[in-house]
Structures are given as structure tokens and as C-alpha cells.
Amino acid sequence: MRIVIAEDSTILRQGLVELLTFRGHEVVAAVKDADALHAAVEEHTPDVSIVDIRMPPTHTDEGLRAAISLRRASPGRAILLFSQYVETKYAAQLLADRAGGVGYLLKDRVAEVSDFLDALRRVADGETVLDPEVVSQLFSATRQTDALGGLTPREREVLGLMAEGRSNSAIAAKLFLSAGSVEKYVTSIFGKLGLPPSEGDNRRVLAVLRYLDS
């Protein structure tokens, strides 16, 4: 993959460059602020960008706001947020464009390099990948609607695992359920959230975003 990195920590930025290069990827740019990120993405059109949330000049949410801007300019542009912090104010906006190809991982919770590389590949392929802690905090920061109030506790649990990017088989293993039972829960969730089958929409992503948008 061709990758842009936006990370203000020199050590971490260089570490990511060396890790990704060693694994056969091409880092086309490694920058330290949001302005340079915009320029690098426009110049190189990478397969995916790895973006820290807190960057100069204020070290608050420059990276996240830059990611939203890049996605608005080109929906579906693959971006993996990689941060120590969960920023709920704008994160839901990033997820709400429904185009896929977005991820949010917490630096301190990535235990294996293989997990990070797998998440990066999935985001580049158009999937949505969220750390469970990110999902938990986004859920707690949102207001529940009547439609979501109709979900059973088990359906909410299944939806939470869907939000983490888990497949039906992974959910079944996590909850000690059969694959058929998980499929029934997922179908029920789609029905209660008013998401009919559609060739143009990914109902799993829409179900998660409906929860976050509420």
C-alpha cells in the first residue's frame, strides 16, 4: 500500500515509517501537522493515511478535523486515526459520512503489530474498524432514540461488536452463540433500525452509524 503518515511525535512517526517499509509498504510522506497532511494527500493520493488526532499548533483536534475535511473533499478516502485519546466531539462526524474506509485505534491498546497492520489493510479496503474503547465512549456520548430503545440487551451487545468491525462468525465465538443465532440478531437489528436490503448500502455500517448518530 501507498501510505501517508501524519504524526507530530518524531520518534513515533519514524517508527511507523520503518515498520511499514519493512513490511513492504511504501510511505510516500511522513508529516507532523494538519496542513502538511492536506498537501501530502493531495499530492500523493495514498491508499490510506494514518493520522494522529492531536497535532500542532494547539495539540487538540487538528488531525481529526483535517481527516473530516479530507473525507468531505473525497468521500471514501481511507483514513486510520491512531491516537492516545478518544475525541467524541468530531469522531461521530467522521464516521457519519457512511462511505467506509475509516478506522480509529488507540495507541496504548494495540498489542500486536499484526493487529495494527490488519486494521490498516481493512481500512484501505473500505471497511470501518473501531477500537472497542472508542465504540464504548462514542456510545456513552450519544443520545438513544426510540428505535434504538427497541433493541434488546443482546441485540445491543451484537451491535456493539459489529461496531468493532467483527464478522458474524467472530461475534458468534465471542458470545458463545451459533452462527445462525447471530444472523437472526443482525437481521432483527436491521429491521428495528429500518434498514431494508439495498445493493448500494452496507447495512452493517449503517446500523452502527445510526447508533452513533442518535
Side-chain angles (χ1 to χ4, degrees):
M1 293 182 290
R2 300 175 70 255
I3 301 168
V4 164
I5 298 171
E7 166 62 59
D8 68 308
S9 167
T10 302
I11 293 176
L12 183 53
R13 185 173 65 249
Q14 188 58 40
L16 286 171
V17 170
E18 294 184 6
L19 168 66
L20 294 169
T21 301
F22 178 75
R23 295 301 179 106
H25 302 294
E26 180 185 2
V27 179
V28 295
V31 301
K32 63 180 181 180
D33 59 56
D35 289 341
L37 169 62
H38 274 282
V41 170
E42 292 302 321
E43 178 182 355
H44 299 288
T45 316
D47 298 310
V48 60
S49 298
I50 302 171
V51 181
D52 190 14
I53 287 179
R54 298 187 178 186
M55 292 192 293
T58 68
H59 295 279
T60 55
D61 54 19
E62 286 85 354
L64 181 50
R65 288 188 286 111
I68 293 172
S69 176
L70 289 169
R71 296 269 295 184
R72 285 175 177 167
S74 180
R77 177 171 275 160
I79 293 177
L80 174 62
L81 296 175
F82 192 43
S83 177
Q84 291 177 291
Y85 310 98
V86 179
E87 171 54 65
T88 60
K89 182 178 180 181
Y90 294 109
Q93 293 182 32
L94 181 65
L95 298 170
D97 63 17
R98 305 184 179 184
V102 64
Y104 195 154
L105 298 181
L106 298 178
K107 294 173 181 176
D108 293 342
R109 288 172 52 86
V110 176
E112 301 290 341
V113 170
S114 59
D115 292 340
F116 175 77
L117 295 174
D118 178 66
L120 189 63
R121 176 192 57 77
R122 290 168 59 193
V123 170
D125 288 342
E127 296 185 39
T128 299
V129 181
L130 302 176
D131 183 280
E133 180 62 23
V134 173
V135 173
S136 175
Q137 293 199 35
L138 286 173
F139 277 9
S140 66
T142 57
R143 173 179 50 84
Q144 304 302 304
T145 65
D146 290 339
L148 297 179
L151 298 180
T152 67
R154 178 63 87 179
E155 287 168 347
R156 289 177 180 272
E157 194 171 14
V158 170
L159 182 55
L161 293 172
M162 288 167 59
E164 295 175 16
R166 296 178 187 255
S167 65
N168 283 5
S169 60
I171 294 173
K174 178 73 173 179
L175 300 181
F176 302 102
L177 297 171
S178 68
S181 295
V182 172
E183 181 63 33
K184 289 179 180 179
Y185 283 123
V186 172
T187 300
S188 177
I189 290 168
F190 291 156
K192 291 181 178 180
L193 297 184
L195 299 173
S198 169
E199 294 183 359
D201 293 323
N202 185 323
R203 291 196 293 170
R204 293 181 77 88
V205 174
L206 292 179
V208 172
L209 293 176
R210 183 71 58 83
Y211 205 125
L212 298 178
D213 287 344
S214 68

